[in-house]
PDB file of all heavy atoms in Angstrom:
ATOM      1  N   HIS A  16       4.893  -9.261   1.409  1.00  0.00           N
ATOM      2  CA  HIS A  16       5.514  -8.226   2.234  1.00  0.00           C
ATOM      3  C   HIS A  16       4.424  -7.505   3.018  1.00  0.00           C
ATOM      4  O   HIS A  16       3.278  -7.384   2.557  1.00  0.00           O
ATOM      5  CB  HIS A  16       6.246  -7.207   1.362  1.00  0.00           C
ATOM      6  CG  HIS A  16       7.544  -7.689   0.820  1.00  0.00           C
ATOM      7  ND1 HIS A  16       8.595  -6.841   0.589  1.00  0.00           N
ATOM      8  CD2 HIS A  16       7.967  -8.916   0.449  1.00  0.00           C
ATOM      9  CE1 HIS A  16       9.622  -7.527   0.104  1.00  0.00           C
ATOM     10  NE2 HIS A  16       9.257  -8.785   0.009  1.00  0.00           N
ATOM     11  N   ALA A  17       4.772  -6.974   4.170  1.00  0.00           N
ATOM     12  CA  ALA A  17       3.827  -6.270   5.038  1.00  0.00           C
ATOM     13  C   ALA A  17       3.090  -5.164   4.281  1.00  0.00           C
ATOM     14  O   ALA A  17       1.866  -5.025   4.402  1.00  0.00           O
ATOM     15  CB  ALA A  17       4.576  -5.682   6.234  1.00  0.00           C
ATOM     16  N   GLU A  18       3.829  -4.393   3.494  1.00  0.00           N
ATOM     17  CA  GLU A  18       3.226  -3.265   2.783  1.00  0.00           C
ATOM     18  C   GLU A  18       2.168  -3.728   1.785  1.00  0.00           C
ATOM     19  O   GLU A  18       1.096  -3.132   1.674  1.00  0.00           O
ATOM     20  CB  GLU A  18       4.301  -2.458   2.035  1.00  0.00           C
ATOM     21  CG  GLU A  18       5.350  -1.842   2.932  1.00  0.00           C
ATOM     22  CD  GLU A  18       6.604  -2.694   3.111  1.00  0.00           C
ATOM     23  OE1 GLU A  18       6.498  -3.934   3.125  1.00  0.00           O
ATOM     24  OE2 GLU A  18       7.688  -2.111   3.230  1.00  0.00           O
ATOM     25  N   LEU A  19       2.469  -4.799   1.049  1.00  0.00           N
ATOM     26  CA  LEU A  19       1.524  -5.282   0.037  1.00  0.00           C
ATOM     27  C   LEU A  19       0.275  -5.859   0.686  1.00  0.00           C
ATOM     28  O   LEU A  19      -0.836  -5.687   0.172  1.00  0.00           O
ATOM     29  CB  LEU A  19       2.192  -6.310  -0.865  1.00  0.00           C
ATOM     30  CG  LEU A  19       3.391  -5.807  -1.673  1.00  0.00           C
ATOM     31  CD1 LEU A  19       3.906  -6.901  -2.587  1.00  0.00           C
ATOM     32  CD2 LEU A  19       3.070  -4.553  -2.454  1.00  0.00           C
ATOM     33  N   ILE A  20       0.441  -6.535   1.808  1.00  0.00           N
ATOM     34  CA  ILE A  20      -0.709  -7.081   2.534  1.00  0.00           C
ATOM     35  C   ILE A  20      -1.584  -5.935   3.056  1.00  0.00           C
ATOM     36  O   ILE A  20      -2.817  -5.983   2.960  1.00  0.00           O
ATOM     37  CB  ILE A  20      -0.233  -8.013   3.663  1.00  0.00           C
ATOM     38  CG1 ILE A  20       0.429  -9.257   3.046  1.00  0.00           C
ATOM     39  CG2 ILE A  20      -1.386  -8.395   4.594  1.00  0.00           C
ATOM     40  CD1 ILE A  20       1.224 -10.093   4.016  1.00  0.00           C
ATOM     41  N   ALA A  21      -0.948  -4.890   3.578  1.00  0.00           N
ATOM     42  CA  ALA A  21      -1.696  -3.726   4.068  1.00  0.00           C
ATOM     43  C   ALA A  21      -2.424  -3.022   2.928  1.00  0.00           C
ATOM     44  O   ALA A  21      -3.581  -2.608   3.083  1.00  0.00           O
ATOM     45  CB  ALA A  21      -0.753  -2.767   4.789  1.00  0.00           C
ATOM     46  N   ILE A  22      -1.766  -2.895   1.778  1.00  0.00           N
ATOM     47  CA  ILE A  22      -2.400  -2.258   0.618  1.00  0.00           C
ATOM     48  C   ILE A  22      -3.621  -3.064   0.174  1.00  0.00           C
ATOM     49  O   ILE A  22      -4.686  -2.505  -0.095  1.00  0.00           O
ATOM     50  CB  ILE A  22      -1.398  -2.078  -0.547  1.00  0.00           C
ATOM     51  CG1 ILE A  22      -0.385  -0.972  -0.204  1.00  0.00           C
ATOM     52  CG2 ILE A  22      -2.115  -1.773  -1.864  1.00  0.00           C
ATOM     53  CD1 ILE A  22       0.788  -0.866  -1.159  1.00  0.00           C
ATOM     54  N   LYS A  23      -3.472  -4.368   0.108  1.00  0.00           N
ATOM     55  CA  LYS A  23      -4.604  -5.221  -0.288  1.00  0.00           C
ATOM     56  C   LYS A  23      -5.788  -5.031   0.659  1.00  0.00           C
ATOM     57  O   LYS A  23      -6.928  -4.867   0.223  1.00  0.00           O
ATOM     58  CB  LYS A  23      -4.161  -6.677  -0.331  1.00  0.00           C
ATOM     59  CG  LYS A  23      -5.234  -7.638  -0.809  1.00  0.00           C
ATOM     60  CD  LYS A  23      -4.673  -9.046  -0.936  1.00  0.00           C
ATOM     61  CE  LYS A  23      -5.746 -10.056  -1.181  1.00  0.00           C
ATOM     62  NZ  LYS A  23      -6.140 -10.236  -2.515  1.00  0.00           N
ATOM     63  N   GLY A  24      -5.524  -5.033   1.959  1.00  0.00           N
ATOM     64  CA  GLY A  24      -6.595  -4.826   2.933  1.00  0.00           C
ATOM     65  C   GLY A  24      -7.240  -3.458   2.809  1.00  0.00           C
ATOM     66  O   GLY A  24      -8.470  -3.324   2.901  1.00  0.00           O
ATOM     67  N   ALA A  25      -6.426  -2.434   2.586  1.00  0.00           N
ATOM     68  CA  ALA A  25      -6.962  -1.079   2.437  1.00  0.00           C
ATOM     69  C   ALA A  25      -7.831  -0.971   1.185  1.00  0.00           C
ATOM     70  O   ALA A  25      -8.907  -0.358   1.225  1.00  0.00           O
ATOM     71  CB  ALA A  25      -5.813  -0.067   2.388  1.00  0.00           C
ATOM     72  N   CYS A  26      -7.391  -1.581   0.093  1.00  0.00           N
ATOM     73  CA  CYS A  26      -8.175  -1.556  -1.143  1.00  0.00           C
ATOM     74  C   CYS A  26      -9.519  -2.258  -0.948  1.00  0.00           C
ATOM     75  O   CYS A  26     -10.552  -1.788  -1.451  1.00  0.00           O
ATOM     76  CB  CYS A  26      -7.396  -2.200  -2.293  1.00  0.00           C
ATOM     77  SG  CYS A  26      -6.006  -1.214  -2.873  1.00  0.00           S
ATOM     78  N   GLU A  27      -9.501  -3.356  -0.211  1.00  0.00           N
ATOM     79  CA  GLU A  27     -10.759  -4.052   0.093  1.00  0.00           C
ATOM     80  C   GLU A  27     -11.682  -3.154   0.914  1.00  0.00           C
ATOM     81  O   GLU A  27     -12.884  -3.091   0.667  1.00  0.00           O
ATOM     82  CB  GLU A  27     -10.482  -5.363   0.823  1.00  0.00           C
ATOM     83  CG  GLU A  27      -9.869  -6.420  -0.066  1.00  0.00           C
ATOM     84  CD  GLU A  27      -9.358  -7.650   0.680  1.00  0.00           C
ATOM     85  OE1 GLU A  27      -9.523  -7.733   1.925  1.00  0.00           O
ATOM     86  OE2 GLU A  27      -8.791  -8.529   0.004  1.00  0.00           O
ATOM     87  N   ASN A  28     -11.106  -2.423   1.867  1.00  0.00           N
ATOM     88  CA  ASN A  28     -11.912  -1.539   2.712  1.00  0.00           C
ATOM     89  C   ASN A  28     -12.516  -0.373   1.953  1.00  0.00           C
ATOM     90  O   ASN A  28     -13.651   0.008   2.217  1.00  0.00           O
ATOM     91  CB  ASN A  28     -11.090  -1.013   3.886  1.00  0.00           C
ATOM     92  CG  ASN A  28     -11.208  -1.894   5.099  1.00  0.00           C
ATOM     93  OD1 ASN A  28     -12.286  -2.347   5.427  1.00  0.00           O
ATOM     94  ND2 ASN A  28     -10.101  -2.143   5.758  1.00  0.00           N
ATOM     95  N   VAL A  29     -11.756   0.214   1.026  1.00  0.00           N
ATOM     96  CA  VAL A  29     -12.299   1.357   0.272  1.00  0.00           C
ATOM     97  C   VAL A  29     -13.005   0.903  -1.007  1.00  0.00           C
ATOM     98  O   VAL A  29     -13.565   1.718  -1.725  1.00  0.00           O
ATOM     99  CB  VAL A  29     -11.214   2.420  -0.049  1.00  0.00           C
ATOM    100  CG1 VAL A  29     -10.589   2.954   1.224  1.00  0.00           C
ATOM    101  CG2 VAL A  29     -10.173   1.918  -1.022  1.00  0.00           C
ATOM    102  N   GLN A  30     -12.968  -0.377  -1.266  1.00  0.00           N
ATOM    103  CA  GLN A  30     -13.598  -0.979  -2.442  1.00  0.00           C
ATOM    104  C   GLN A  30     -13.089  -0.360  -3.742  1.00  0.00           C
ATOM    105  O   GLN A  30     -13.860  -0.018  -4.633  1.00  0.00           O
ATOM    106  CB  GLN A  30     -15.123  -0.898  -2.334  1.00  0.00           C
ATOM    107  CG  GLN A  30     -15.646  -1.665  -1.139  1.00  0.00           C
ATOM    108  CD  GLN A  30     -17.145  -1.605  -0.994  1.00  0.00           C
ATOM    109  OE1 GLN A  30     -17.806  -0.726  -1.528  1.00  0.00           O
ATOM    110  NE2 GLN A  30     -17.685  -2.561  -0.259  1.00  0.00           N
ATOM    111  N   GLY A  31     -11.774  -0.240  -3.806  1.00  0.00           N
ATOM    112  CA  GLY A  31     -11.141   0.286  -5.007  1.00  0.00           C
ATOM    113  C   GLY A  31      -9.640   0.283  -4.837  1.00  0.00           C
ATOM    114  O   GLY A  31      -9.127   0.063  -3.746  1.00  0.00           O
ATOM    115  N   TRP A  32      -8.936   0.549  -5.926  1.00  0.00           N
ATOM    116  CA  TRP A  32      -7.480   0.472  -5.883  1.00  0.00           C
ATOM    117  C   TRP A  32      -6.798   1.801  -5.570  1.00  0.00           C
ATOM    118  O   TRP A  32      -5.621   1.829  -5.254  1.00  0.00           O
ATOM    119  CB  TRP A  32      -6.933  -0.095  -7.194  1.00  0.00           C
ATOM    120  CG  TRP A  32      -7.221   0.757  -8.400  1.00  0.00           C
ATOM    121  CD1 TRP A  32      -8.309   0.676  -9.224  1.00  0.00           C
ATOM    122  CD2 TRP A  32      -6.408   1.816  -8.921  1.00  0.00           C
ATOM    123  NE1 TRP A  32      -8.219   1.614 -10.218  1.00  0.00           N
ATOM    124  CE2 TRP A  32      -7.056   2.325 -10.060  1.00  0.00           C
ATOM    125  CE3 TRP A  32      -5.186   2.375  -8.529  1.00  0.00           C
ATOM    126  CZ2 TRP A  32      -6.547   3.370 -10.821  1.00  0.00           C
ATOM    127  CZ3 TRP A  32      -4.667   3.415  -9.293  1.00  0.00           C
ATOM    128  CH2 TRP A  32      -5.343   3.898 -10.420  1.00  0.00           C
ATOM    129  N   ARG A  33      -7.530   2.890  -5.647  1.00  0.00           N
ATOM    130  CA  ARG A  33      -6.926   4.199  -5.392  1.00  0.00           C
ATOM    131  C   ARG A  33      -6.973   4.511  -3.901  1.00  0.00           C
ATOM    132  O   ARG A  33      -8.042   4.602  -3.313  1.00  0.00           O
ATOM    133  CB  ARG A  33      -7.662   5.285  -6.168  1.00  0.00           C
ATOM    134  CG  ARG A  33      -7.402   5.245  -7.635  1.00  0.00           C
ATOM    135  CD  ARG A  33      -8.188   6.349  -8.363  1.00  0.00           C
ATOM    136  NE  ARG A  33      -8.059   6.218  -9.791  1.00  0.00           N
ATOM    137  CZ  ARG A  33      -8.851   5.464 -10.547  1.00  0.00           C
ATOM    138  NH1 ARG A  33      -9.838   4.760 -10.002  1.00  0.00           N
ATOM    139  NH2 ARG A  33      -8.659   5.395 -11.853  1.00  0.00           N
ATOM    140  N   LEU A  34      -5.785   4.698  -3.314  1.00  0.00           N
ATOM    141  CA  LEU A  34      -5.679   4.993  -1.884  1.00  0.00           C
ATOM    142  C   LEU A  34      -5.244   6.437  -1.661  1.00  0.00           C
ATOM    143  O   LEU A  34      -4.452   6.742  -0.773  1.00  0.00           O
ATOM    144  CB  LEU A  34      -4.724   4.002  -1.215  1.00  0.00           C
ATOM    145  CG  LEU A  34      -5.163   2.540  -1.278  1.00  0.00           C
ATOM    146  CD1 LEU A  34      -4.116   1.629  -0.644  1.00  0.00           C
ATOM    147  CD2 LEU A  34      -6.527   2.335  -0.630  1.00  0.00           C
ATOM    148  N   THR A  35      -5.784   7.347  -2.474  1.00  0.00           N
ATOM    149  CA  THR A  35      -5.486   8.764  -2.281  1.00  0.00           C
ATOM    150  C   THR A  35      -6.040   9.193  -0.932  1.00  0.00           C
ATOM    151  O   THR A  35      -7.048   8.675  -0.459  1.00  0.00           O
ATOM    152  CB  THR A  35      -6.094   9.620  -3.417  1.00  0.00           C
ATOM    153  OG1 THR A  35      -7.480   9.308  -3.527  1.00  0.00           O
ATOM    154  CG2 THR A  35      -5.407   9.359  -4.738  1.00  0.00           C
ATOM    155  N   GLY A  36      -5.350  10.119  -0.305  1.00  0.00           N
ATOM    156  CA  GLY A  36      -5.751  10.579   1.015  1.00  0.00           C
ATOM    157  C   GLY A  36      -5.293   9.651   2.127  1.00  0.00           C
ATOM    158  O   GLY A  36      -5.663   9.843   3.285  1.00  0.00           O
ATOM    159  N   CYS A  37      -4.492   8.647   1.782  1.00  0.00           N
ATOM    160  CA  CYS A  37      -4.045   7.659   2.766  1.00  0.00           C
ATOM    161  C   CYS A  37      -2.575   7.856   3.138  1.00  0.00           C
ATOM    162  O   CYS A  37      -1.797   8.390   2.353  1.00  0.00           O
ATOM    163  CB  CYS A  37      -4.240   6.242   2.223  1.00  0.00           C
ATOM    164  SG  CYS A  37      -5.969   5.790   2.024  1.00  0.00           S
ATOM    165  N   THR A  38      -2.247   7.370   4.324  1.00  0.00           N
ATOM    166  CA  THR A  38      -0.866   7.359   4.815  1.00  0.00           C
ATOM    167  C   THR A  38      -0.506   5.936   5.187  1.00  0.00           C
ATOM    168  O   THR A  38      -1.295   5.243   5.820  1.00  0.00           O
ATOM    169  CB  THR A  38      -0.717   8.272   6.057  1.00  0.00           C
ATOM    170  OG1 THR A  38      -1.071   9.607   5.701  1.00  0.00           O
ATOM    171  CG2 THR A  38       0.707   8.239   6.597  1.00  0.00           C
ATOM    172  N   MET A  39       0.692   5.515   4.790  1.00  0.00           N
ATOM    173  CA  MET A  39       1.226   4.218   5.209  1.00  0.00           C
ATOM    174  C   MET A  39       2.274   4.460   6.277  1.00  0.00           C
ATOM    175  O   MET A  39       3.153   5.310   6.115  1.00  0.00           O
ATOM    176  CB  MET A  39       1.868   3.470   4.049  1.00  0.00           C
ATOM    177  CG  MET A  39       2.537   2.165   4.492  1.00  0.00           C
ATOM    178  SD  MET A  39       3.323   1.248   3.152  1.00  0.00           S
ATOM    179  CE  MET A  39       1.873   0.491   2.407  1.00  0.00           C
ATOM    180  N   TYR A  40       2.186   3.687   7.353  1.00  0.00           N
ATOM    181  CA  TYR A  40       3.187   3.670   8.412  1.00  0.00           C
ATOM    182  C   TYR A  40       3.844   2.308   8.343  1.00  0.00           C
ATOM    183  O   TYR A  40       3.163   1.286   8.432  1.00  0.00           O
ATOM    184  CB  TYR A  40       2.533   3.860   9.785  1.00  0.00           C
ATOM    185  CG  TYR A  40       1.835   5.190   9.910  1.00  0.00           C
ATOM    186  CD1 TYR A  40       0.524   5.350   9.454  1.00  0.00           C
ATOM    187  CD2 TYR A  40       2.482   6.290  10.450  1.00  0.00           C
ATOM    188  CE1 TYR A  40      -0.114   6.583   9.542  1.00  0.00           C
ATOM    189  CE2 TYR A  40       1.856   7.520  10.545  1.00  0.00           C
ATOM    190  CZ  TYR A  40       0.558   7.659  10.083  1.00  0.00           C
ATOM    191  OH  TYR A  40      -0.063   8.881  10.169  1.00  0.00           O
ATOM    192  N   VAL A  41       5.160   2.282   8.180  1.00  0.00           N
ATOM    193  CA  VAL A  41       5.864   1.008   8.037  1.00  0.00           C
ATOM    194  C   VAL A  41       7.158   1.064   8.838  1.00  0.00           C
ATOM    195  O   VAL A  41       7.837   2.089   8.867  1.00  0.00           O
ATOM    196  CB  VAL A  41       6.079   0.654   6.541  1.00  0.00           C
ATOM    197  CG1 VAL A  41       6.874   1.715   5.823  1.00  0.00           C
ATOM    198  CG2 VAL A  41       6.680  -0.720   6.366  1.00  0.00           C
ATOM    199  N   THR A  42       7.472  -0.034   9.494  1.00  0.00           N
ATOM    200  CA  THR A  42       8.592  -0.041  10.434  1.00  0.00           C
ATOM    201  C   THR A  42       9.948   0.091   9.755  1.00  0.00           C
ATOM    202  O   THR A  42      10.868   0.658  10.330  1.00  0.00           O
ATOM    203  CB  THR A  42       8.564  -1.312  11.304  1.00  0.00           C
ATOM    204  OG1 THR A  42       8.542  -2.462  10.464  1.00  0.00           O
ATOM    205  CG2 THR A  42       7.339  -1.307  12.216  1.00  0.00           C
ATOM    206  N   ILE A  43      10.071  -0.439   8.545  1.00  0.00           N
ATOM    207  CA  ILE A  43      11.336  -0.390   7.806  1.00  0.00           C
ATOM    208  C   ILE A  43      11.069   0.232   6.434  1.00  0.00           C
ATOM    209  O   ILE A  43      10.026  -0.007   5.824  1.00  0.00           O
ATOM    210  CB  ILE A  43      11.926  -1.816   7.628  1.00  0.00           C
ATOM    211  CG1 ILE A  43      12.123  -2.499   8.990  1.00  0.00           C
ATOM    212  CG2 ILE A  43      13.230  -1.789   6.831  1.00  0.00           C
ATOM    213  CD1 ILE A  43      13.111  -1.836   9.931  1.00  0.00           C
ATOM    214  N   GLU A  44      12.014   0.975   5.950  1.00  0.00           N
ATOM    215  CA  GLU A  44      11.896   1.619   4.644  1.00  0.00           C
ATOM    216  C   GLU A  44      11.495   0.610   3.563  1.00  0.00           C
ATOM    217  O   GLU A  44      12.120  -0.442   3.435  1.00  0.00           O
ATOM    218  CB  GLU A  44      13.247   2.247   4.287  1.00  0.00           C
ATOM    219  CG  GLU A  44      13.275   2.955   2.973  1.00  0.00           C
ATOM    220  CD  GLU A  44      14.637   3.551   2.674  1.00  0.00           C
ATOM    221  OE1 GLU A  44      15.582   3.359   3.489  1.00  0.00           O
ATOM    222  OE2 GLU A  44      14.778   4.202   1.626  1.00  0.00           O
ATOM    223  N   PRO A  45      10.450   0.912   2.804  1.00  0.00           N
ATOM    224  CA  PRO A  45       9.997  -0.020   1.759  1.00  0.00           C
ATOM    225  C   PRO A  45      11.052  -0.310   0.684  1.00  0.00           C
ATOM    226  O   PRO A  45      11.849   0.552   0.315  1.00  0.00           O
ATOM    227  CB  PRO A  45       8.787   0.697   1.154  1.00  0.00           C
ATOM    228  CG  PRO A  45       8.255   1.533   2.285  1.00  0.00           C
ATOM    229  CD  PRO A  45       9.515   2.018   2.993  1.00  0.00           C
ATOM    230  N   CYS A  46      10.993  -1.546   0.188  1.00  0.00           N
ATOM    231  CA  CYS A  46      11.861  -2.007  -0.895  1.00  0.00           C
ATOM    232  C   CYS A  46      11.301  -1.504  -2.233  1.00  0.00           C
ATOM    233  O   CYS A  46      10.204  -0.936  -2.292  1.00  0.00           O
ATOM    234  CB  CYS A  46      11.935  -3.534  -0.883  1.00  0.00           C
ATOM    235  SG  CYS A  46      10.405  -4.331  -1.438  1.00  0.00           S
ATOM    236  N   PRO A  47      12.021  -1.727  -3.342  1.00  0.00           N
ATOM    237  CA  PRO A  47      11.530  -1.275  -4.657  1.00  0.00           C
ATOM    238  C   PRO A  47      10.159  -1.849  -5.030  1.00  0.00           C
ATOM    239  O   PRO A  47       9.322  -1.135  -5.575  1.00  0.00           O
ATOM    240  CB  PRO A  47      12.614  -1.745  -5.627  1.00  0.00           C
ATOM    241  CG  PRO A  47      13.852  -1.811  -4.793  1.00  0.00           C
ATOM    242  CD  PRO A  47      13.393  -2.253  -3.432  1.00  0.00           C
ATOM    243  N   MET A  48       9.931  -3.132  -4.745  1.00  0.00           N
ATOM    244  CA  MET A  48       8.641  -3.735  -5.083  1.00  0.00           C
ATOM    245  C   MET A  48       7.517  -3.024  -4.335  1.00  0.00           C
ATOM    246  O   MET A  48       6.485  -2.669  -4.926  1.00  0.00           O
ATOM    247  CB  MET A  48       8.644  -5.227  -4.735  1.00  0.00           C
ATOM    248  CG  MET A  48       7.307  -5.909  -4.958  1.00  0.00           C
ATOM    249  SD  MET A  48       7.335  -7.677  -4.604  1.00  0.00           S
ATOM    250  CE  MET A  48       7.559  -7.706  -2.822  1.00  0.00           C
ATOM    251  N   CYS A  49       7.699  -2.814  -3.046  1.00  0.00           N
ATOM    252  CA  CYS A  49       6.667  -2.175  -2.240  1.00  0.00           C
ATOM    253  C   CYS A  49       6.505  -0.703  -2.611  1.00  0.00           C
ATOM    254  O   CYS A  49       5.387  -0.183  -2.647  1.00  0.00           O
ATOM    255  CB  CYS A  49       6.975  -2.345  -0.762  1.00  0.00           C
ATOM    256  SG  CYS A  49       6.850  -4.083  -0.251  1.00  0.00           S
ATOM    257  N   ALA A  50       7.608  -0.025  -2.903  1.00  0.00           N
ATOM    258  CA  ALA A  50       7.533   1.369  -3.345  1.00  0.00           C
ATOM    259  C   ALA A  50       6.729   1.464  -4.636  1.00  0.00           C
ATOM    260  O   ALA A  50       5.915   2.375  -4.808  1.00  0.00           O
ATOM    261  CB  ALA A  50       8.930   1.954  -3.519  1.00  0.00           C
ATOM    262  N   GLY A  51       6.924   0.510  -5.528  1.00  0.00           N
ATOM    263  CA  GLY A  51       6.137   0.489  -6.767  1.00  0.00           C
ATOM    264  C   GLY A  51       4.653   0.337  -6.485  1.00  0.00           C
ATOM    265  O   GLY A  51       3.814   1.007  -7.090  1.00  0.00           O
ATOM    266  N   ALA A  52       4.310  -0.530  -5.553  1.00  0.00           N
ATOM    267  CA  ALA A  52       2.903  -0.723  -5.193  1.00  0.00           C
ATOM    268  C   ALA A  52       2.330   0.532  -4.521  1.00  0.00           C
ATOM    269  O   ALA A  52       1.161   0.870  -4.727  1.00  0.00           O
ATOM    270  CB  ALA A  52       2.763  -1.933  -4.273  1.00  0.00           C
ATOM    271  N   ILE A  53       3.144   1.221  -3.731  1.00  0.00           N
ATOM    272  CA  ILE A  53       2.711   2.468  -3.095  1.00  0.00           C
ATOM    273  C   ILE A  53       2.383   3.499  -4.169  1.00  0.00           C
ATOM    274  O   ILE A  53       1.351   4.177  -4.109  1.00  0.00           O
ATOM    275  CB  ILE A  53       3.794   2.977  -2.119  1.00  0.00           C
ATOM    276  CG1 ILE A  53       3.865   2.054  -0.893  1.00  0.00           C
ATOM    277  CG2 ILE A  53       3.541   4.424  -1.711  1.00  0.00           C
ATOM    278  CD1 ILE A  53       5.120   2.215  -0.054  1.00  0.00           C
ATOM    279  N   ILE A  54       3.250   3.601  -5.164  1.00  0.00           N
ATOM    280  CA  ILE A  54       3.013   4.529  -6.269  1.00  0.00           C
ATOM    281  C   ILE A  54       1.745   4.144  -7.020  1.00  0.00           C
ATOM    282  O   ILE A  54       0.881   4.979  -7.294  1.00  0.00           O
ATOM    283  CB  ILE A  54       4.228   4.549  -7.229  1.00  0.00           C
ATOM    284  CG1 ILE A  54       5.443   5.155  -6.543  1.00  0.00           C
ATOM    285  CG2 ILE A  54       3.889   5.297  -8.524  1.00  0.00           C
ATOM    286  CD1 ILE A  54       6.766   4.856  -7.223  1.00  0.00           C
ATOM    287  N   GLN A  55       1.619   2.863  -7.365  1.00  0.00           N
ATOM    288  CA  GLN A  55       0.472   2.406  -8.150  1.00  0.00           C
ATOM    289  C   GLN A  55      -0.851   2.557  -7.404  1.00  0.00           C
ATOM    290  O   GLN A  55      -1.887   2.766  -8.031  1.00  0.00           O
ATOM    291  CB  GLN A  55       0.668   0.957  -8.594  1.00  0.00           C
ATOM    292  CG  GLN A  55       1.762   0.786  -9.628  1.00  0.00           C
ATOM    293  CD  GLN A  55       1.506   1.609 -10.886  1.00  0.00           C
ATOM    294  OE1 GLN A  55       0.411   1.632 -11.429  1.00  0.00           O
ATOM    295  NE2 GLN A  55       2.542   2.297 -11.344  1.00  0.00           N
TER     296      GLN A  55
END
């Protein structure tokens, strides 16, 4: 999914899994799987 691919890229950029201080912009409301990844 677009959200998971974006999260993976962001984690690679910050060299860690915590994306605090970040904002996600997504064209369609995230599904449960993607919402879970956003939370995590």
Side-chain angles (χ1 to χ4, degrees):
H16 284 212
E18 298 94 326
L19 298 183
I20 293 166
I22 288 170
K23 183 175 170 85
C26 289
E27 289 170 3
N28 269 318
V29 301
Q30 298 180 340
W32 63 269
R33 288 179 187 87
L34 298 177
T35 53
C37 293
T38 300
M39 175 180 282
Y40 298 85
V41 59
T42 55
I43 303 297
E44 180 180 3
C46 72
M48 176 178 68
C49 293
I53 290 164
I54 293 163
Q55 291 302 314

